[in-house]
Amino acid sequence: AELTQEELFQQRIDADQRIEPKDWMPDAYRKTLIRQISQHAHSEIVGMLPEGNWITRAPSLKRKSILLAKVQDEAGHGLYLYSAAETLGASRDQMLADLHAGKAKYSSIFNYPTLSWADIGCVGWLVDGAAILNQVPLCRTSFGPYARAMVRVCKEESFHQRQGFEIMQTLCEGAPEQKAMAQEALNRWWWPTLMMFGPKDDESPNTARSMQWRIKRFTNDELRQKFVDMMVPQAEFLGLTVPDLALQWNETKQGYDFGEVNWEEFWQVVNGNGLCNHDRLQARVDAWEEGAWVREAALAHAEKRRQRQEP
Ligand code: FAQ
């Protein structure tokens, strides 16, 4: 019997061939990619806000220039990702309209406040650490433009993670007050970071199909486990305590057992009721409205140039 288009598509996926924008693809594949890539793009842009909050208060000129560069990198990541989503037929104006209307999701982690300088350390160390674990496998995701965008993003994320760890290390080697500040920040960021990987596999509606299509290469729980196994020794090296009484090395599985994430809190934050959801969205809406004159001026300029070039 002849294979259907969908079966041929799955054969290409199974042979690890990249799917490109003009190739045939099932509607649901296109839809789930637009969903994931646009959420990812929004996360990068909204993710600039918690760290942007500390640019004017960075403790030294050196820290300030590093933080500025990092926050600008996140803007760049957002732009590559919006472009990748556009190759699937999504319109950037529509994606942004959905974000501004509160209809589009972005990572739960950016709805938590950055209260002290140590939070900037934790965002780099833990949040970028989680982002890297999730994104390195995405360099091999089946959709070409998304995979290629991830290569550069991951290189930049490694620098971000390193700078976060180094902030933590400096604080942990400093005065007792600085070490306490680092511990207090870890206490607040640990659990929200574990939530970044998404719901448990048996409660994740998208995982099975995204694995079959090789959009995702690991499940949410697999990545969460890798994260804990990677981070616990780093916390020990810093002399910090991971705030989880259930945390214990499991010899048989050669990994850590750890406590249960507060899923009630996770869904509250995802559904708009976290500490900063309102402020984050308002900041994006304000930026869009205050930037209207720039967009208008750019369009007017392009129009003038076009008229000048006409014979
Ligand atoms: N927050 O069925 P699943 C960064 C939603 S890193 C909010 O498991 P999926 C770097 C999910 O969308 C952060 N919503 O979904 C940076 C779905 O809702 P939907 C961004 C979440 O897609 C660092 C529903 O729950 N990284 O920005 C979350 O298979 C520092 C059911 O979930 C990425 O986006 C959550 N944590 O797996 C920037 C990576 N988790 O759409 C600035 C790419 C789940 O059905 C500063 N994305 N949901 O209504 C992915 O790998 C996947 O989309 C997952 C979720 C793993 C996030």
Side-chain angles (χ1 to χ4, degrees):
E2 238 177 73
L3 293 177
T4 64
Q5 239 174 350
E6 187 129 7
E7 285 163 339
L8 283 168
F9 175 82
Q10 188 63 45
Q11 272 191 354
R12 287 188 59 192
I13 297 273
D14 294 342
D16 259 339
Q17 284 176 24
R18 286 269 164 82
I19 306 302
E20 296 299 336
K22 288 186 175 151
D23 295 343
W24 185 88
M25 61 185 84
D27 282 344
Y29 177 85
R30 184 186 302 275
K31 232 176 116 191
T32 205
L33 272 170
I34 291 176
R35 178 184 67 78
Q36 178 168 328
I37 299 172
S38 64
Q39 288 174 1
H40 194 165
H42 297 326
S43 303
E44 300 284 354
I45 299 298
V46 177
M48 296 168 73
L49 297 168
E51 288 172 296
N53 184 38
W54 277 88
I55 290 173
T56 55
R57 292 175 290 164
S60 70
L61 181 60
K62 184 182 127 197
R63 292 293 186 198
K64 181 169 172 149
S65 34
I66 295 170
L67 186 59
L68 263 173
K70 179 197 191 294
V71 172
Q72 286 177 13
D73 285 350
E74 309 299 357
H77 299 174
L79 298 182
Y80 312 145
L81 285 161
Y82 286 125
S83 299
E86 282 176 318
T87 69
L88 290 157
S91 111
R92 192 178 296 220
D93 282 346
Q94 188 59 50
M95 290 186 274
L96 290 173
D98 288 348
L99 174 68
H100 298 155
K103 279 195 270 179
K105 290 193 172 72
Y106 57 85
S107 183
S108 51
I109 193 70
F110 302 118
N111 292 309
Y112 291 84
T114 42
L115 303 177
S116 79
W117 175 251
D119 288 34
I120 300 305
C122 275
V123 171
W125 174 41
L126 300 175
V127 176
D128 287 291
I132 293 173
L133 268 183
N134 167 278
Q135 289 168 13
V136 166
L138 290 177
C139 297
R140 294 185 296 118
T141 196
S142 55
F143 184 59
Y146 192 23
R148 288 189 290 274
M150 282 301 112
V151 175
R152 174 158 174 186
V153 168
C154 285
K155 285 183 186 160
E156 294 177 350
E157 295 292 16
S158 315
F159 146 62
H160 298 167
Q161 209 243 346
R162 193 73 198 104
Q163 69 87 39
F165 183 81
E166 206 254 338
I167 291 175
M168 294 304 281
Q169 195 174 6
T170 305
L171 291 173
C172 290
E173 287 167 357
E177 290 84 352
Q178 288 175 301
K179 176 116 189 231
M181 195 196 270
Q183 180 65 55
E184 194 268 337
L186 171 59
N187 293 349
R188 281 183 292 108
W189 287 92
W190 178 256
W191 291 103
T193 310
L194 294 191
M195 296 175 196
M196 287 176 71
F197 296 98
K200 288 204 282 199
D201 292 350
D202 53 12
E203 279 158 31
S204 159
N206 300 302
T207 292
R209 214 171 43 170
S210 288
M211 294 285 287
Q212 192 201 328
W213 280 332
R214 301 198 183 176
I215 293 173
K216 287 167 89 163
R217 293 287 184 153
F218 295 96
T219 71
N220 300 356
D221 285 332
E222 283 167 354
L223 290 173
R224 195 167 11 248
Q225 179 71 53
K226 275 178 196 274
F227 178 79
V228 173
D229 293 344
M230 178 172 100
M231 285 301 166
V232 171
Q234 295 187 15
E236 280 170 3
F237 178 85
L238 292 170
L240 296 174
T241 307
V242 172
D244 179 357
L245 293 172
L247 190 73
Q248 203 174 13
W249 178 252
N250 180 327
E251 193 59 38
T252 339
K253 80 171 182 194
Q254 288 292 303
Y256 287 90
D257 290 331
F258 55 97
E260 187 70 26
V261 168
N262 181 345
W263 294 112
E264 165 65 20
E265 176 182 325
F266 171 74
W267 289 114
Q268 282 293 333
V269 176
V270 171
N271 291 321
N273 304 316
L275 284 170
C276 300
N277 292 61
H278 176 78
D279 286 1
R280 300 299 187 228
L281 215 56
Q282 195 58 49
R284 291 314 315 156
V285 170
D286 289 349
W288 179 255
E289 287 172 357
E290 286 161 21
W293 70 272
V294 180
R295 294 190 298 277
E296 282 160 20
L299 284 172
H301 180 66
E303 178 58 20
K304 253 194 252 166
R305 285 185 58 149
R306 193 187 60 78
Q307 284 179 3
R308 236 181 273 140
Q309 277 159 12
E310 263 172 16

